[in-house]
Amino acid sequence: MSSSPPAAPRPSLLRHHDFRQLWMGDTVSVFGMQFVGFALPLMAVQLLGAGAFEMGLLATLESLAFLLISLPAGAWVDRWRKKVVIVLGDLLRAVLLLTLPVAWLLDALTMEQVYVIAFAVGCITVFFDVANQSYLPELVEGDQISEGNGKLQASQQTAMVAGPAAAAALVRALGSPLTIAVTAVCMALSSLFVSRIRHREETPDPAQRRPLATEIREGMAFVLGHRLLRRIVACTGLTNLASSAVFALFVLYAIRTLGLSETTLGLVMSVSAVGGLLGAVSSERFARLVGEGRAIPLSAVVSGVAMLSTPLASVLPAVPTLVVGGFLISWSVVVYNIAQVSFRQRLCPKPLLGRMNASIRFLVWGPMPVGAFLGGLSGRELGVVPTMWVSAGLCLLAALPVVLSPLLGMRTLPRELDALGAPAEAEPETDQEDAHPRP
């Protein structure tokens, strides 16, 4: 009996026109977000005199929309063309961010305006992120999703490596408000690239729409109805709650407590982010080595331990401590994200992708404004350094939901789902290299 010849390997996504446009647009966009992420808090601290509570409030408003509107946003995105959402999202954010340098040039910039723009940009980002993350499975085949996510993560990590240093140089040369103007240009370029995608999406038939609440419940039921997704969501949400308190105060902590200049801070962030770039290119090999299921809890533990480096920088040499800790944080977060995002994208039926991603964003990003606000409040009442210690310790404890789960014994993860039935779950696999997922 002759066996059928093996299927020819698919060509690299580098030859895929639509993926290239999405990739280039995403790359430009994430560079822009690195610029604004660096310049906006610096502008608040250095030009507007913001303290711990004000910085916590700013970080709260930046992510508050994920708590308020992410669930209906997912249902709406599933009703719209995702390409249109991405293009309009970039253009609207560009216009809003441009109001900050304009107000500064007119000597009319206030902290209140910064708060409003941060919240408005956050609202648009909710729709943009849900559409962006749900668009990749529309453009590429299922067995190429991991490759696509790896390339997108590589771009994001490259931006995190080069972005802070470039932003610091721009702040030195132009000032933080005009650096934010550069971000607006990046957003406009991103929208241009994505607009060139040729793929024609089929808009869902309006006659088949059901009540919004029903569609939202379907997305949430999918996430909470799967035992592995529940564990992953719990870990990510608790980590984001604790780490948001750290990140809300980080610029203030680095500038005022550790005495770093903005240039040194930019270099620390850039060098630390090299770990994320390494994570993007090594995630598949790491998953093959330890098992794709086991990669999730192991990377969560590494991230929690490494987060302790932030408060340790107040008693150890600051720059090397932050660099080593930041490198490990970046590596582990990227490995964790590639593993769990690829898992849920494979698992979820395409018509449910927007609602699934929005439900997860609500559950894991919703805690971020709460954590940022509590961090700012605690920083004002207890001090910045004690807040850093408590928050970093909570980041380590947040790994428990995936450590104490079947994931630690799994080499493979589920790959199929009956859209009308229960999730097809994988059993824990042995450690043999030839272990295969259940059919």
Side-chain angles (χ1 to χ4, degrees):
M1 296 179 61
S2 62
S3 58
S4 58
R10 292 186 182 275
S12 167
L13 285 178
L14 293 175
R15 299 183 180 181
H16 192 298
H17 173 272
D18 287 350
F19 176 78
R20 286 202 311 272
Q21 303 309 311
L22 181 69
W23 191 15
M24 289 187 291
D26 189 72
T27 300
V28 176
S29 181
V30 295
F31 263 95
M33 291 307 294
Q34 284 296 310
F35 293 162
V36 74
F38 186 86
L40 191 63
L42 273 178
M43 184 172 67
V45 170
Q46 294 181 331
L47 300 184
L48 299 174
F53 181 75
E54 288 77 17
M55 295 303 292
L57 183 57
L58 175 59
T60 299
L61 291 170
E62 286 178 318
S63 56
L64 184 59
F66 286 96
L67 183 61
L68 298 181
I69 64 171
S70 60
L71 288 178
W76 283 323
V77 166
D78 277 339
R79 298 178 177 188
W80 301 333
R81 287 191 174 94
K82 297 174 181 65
K83 173 181 170 180
V84 173
V85 176
I86 294 169
V87 171
L88 288 180
D90 267 331
L91 291 176
L92 289 173
R93 290 189 298 179
V95 171
L96 286 170
L97 289 170
L98 273 176
T99 66
L100 295 174
V102 169
W104 175 73
L105 290 171
L106 297 175
D107 199 24
L109 183 65
T110 65
M111 201 66 199
E112 288 74 19
Q113 181 188 358
V114 174
Y115 289 150
V116 170
I117 297 301
F119 178 69
V121 169
C123 289
I124 297 170
T125 299
V126 169
F127 290 91
F128 178 90
D129 282 357
V130 170
N132 197 43
Q133 197 165 79
S134 304
Y135 199 29
L136 178 64
E138 296 274 354
L139 300 181
V140 304
E141 298 299 326
D143 59 355
Q144 293 180 301
I145 288 177
S146 290
E147 180 190 351
N149 279 323
K151 285 179 167 55
L152 292 173
Q153 282 285 336
S155 291
Q156 292 171 16
Q157 296 310 311
T158 300
M160 292 182 70
V161 170
L170 285 171
V171 169
R172 280 283 190 183
L174 305 176
S176 51
L178 293 182
T179 299
I180 294 174
V182 175
T183 293
V185 175
C186 292
M187 299 294 182
L189 284 174
S190 173
S191 67
L192 176 63
F193 284 123
V194 176
S195 69
R196 299 179 65 225
I197 291 176
R198 298 168 184 164
H199 173 73
R200 299 286 297 179
E201 294 177 75
E202 292 185 9
T203 305
D205 185 359
Q208 296 181 357
R209 290 177 183 170
R210 289 155 298 154
L212 191 65
T214 301
E215 295 190 347
I216 290 173
R217 280 197 300 270
E218 285 183 349
M220 188 64 73
F222 175 84
V223 174
L224 298 181
H226 196 290
R227 60 172 183 161
L228 299 181
L229 284 182
R230 283 198 305 270
R231 295 283 188 160
I232 291 169
V233 163
C235 171
T236 312
L238 291 171
T239 299
N240 286 346
L241 177 72
S243 63
S244 292
V246 175
F247 298 141
L249 301 177
F250 184 72
V251 171
L252 184 70
Y253 170 69
I255 297 294
R256 295 188 182 170
T257 303
L258 302 181
L260 304 183
S261 67
E262 61 264 30
T263 302
T264 302
L265 176 60
L267 289 173
V268 165
M269 294 170 67
S270 290
V271 176
S272 299
V274 173
L277 187 59
L278 178 62
V281 299
S282 67
S283 61
E284 287 192 46
R285 180 175 297 180
F286 181 74
R288 287 196 302 269
L289 178 66
V290 304
E292 60 178 352
R294 201 171 293 133
I296 294 174
L298 290 180
S299 57
V301 169
V302 173
S303 175
V305 172
M307 190 64 75
L308 294 170
S309 66
T310 304
L312 275 172
S314 64
V315 294
L316 297 177
V319 171
T321 303
L322 290 176
V323 166
V324 172
F327 182 95
L328 291 173
I329 292 169
S330 298
W331 177 85
S332 56
V333 166
V334 170
V335 170
Y336 177 91
N337 281 337
I338 290 177
Q340 59 96 7
V341 169
S342 298
F343 164 52
R344 70 183 197 237
Q345 285 177 335
R346 291 196 312 254
L347 199 67
C348 184
K350 288 185 179 180
L352 199 61
L353 277 168
R355 283 166 285 165
M356 179 273 290
N357 283 324
S359 296
I360 287 184
R361 284 296 171 97
F362 171 77
L363 294 169
V364 306
W365 285 42
M368 291 171 63
V370 178
F373 182 80
L374 292 176
L377 189 63
S378 176
R380 184 180 68 180
E381 300 298 326
L382 302 179
V384 172
V385 175
T387 299
M388 291 289 188
W389 278 111
V390 172
S391 302
L394 292 175
C395 284
L396 180 57
L397 293 176
L400 288 177
V402 290
V403 171
L404 304 177
S405 78
L407 287 165
L408 201 58
M410 288 182 168
R411 288 201 62 85
T412 59
L413 289 168
R415 294 177 181 271
E416 296 177 358
L417 180 79
D418 176 3
L420 301 177
E425 303 209 9
E427 296 295 331
E429 298 283 354
T430 63
D431 283 334
Q432 280 78 18
E433 286 298 324
D434 58 350
H436 297 288
R438 287 171 50 187

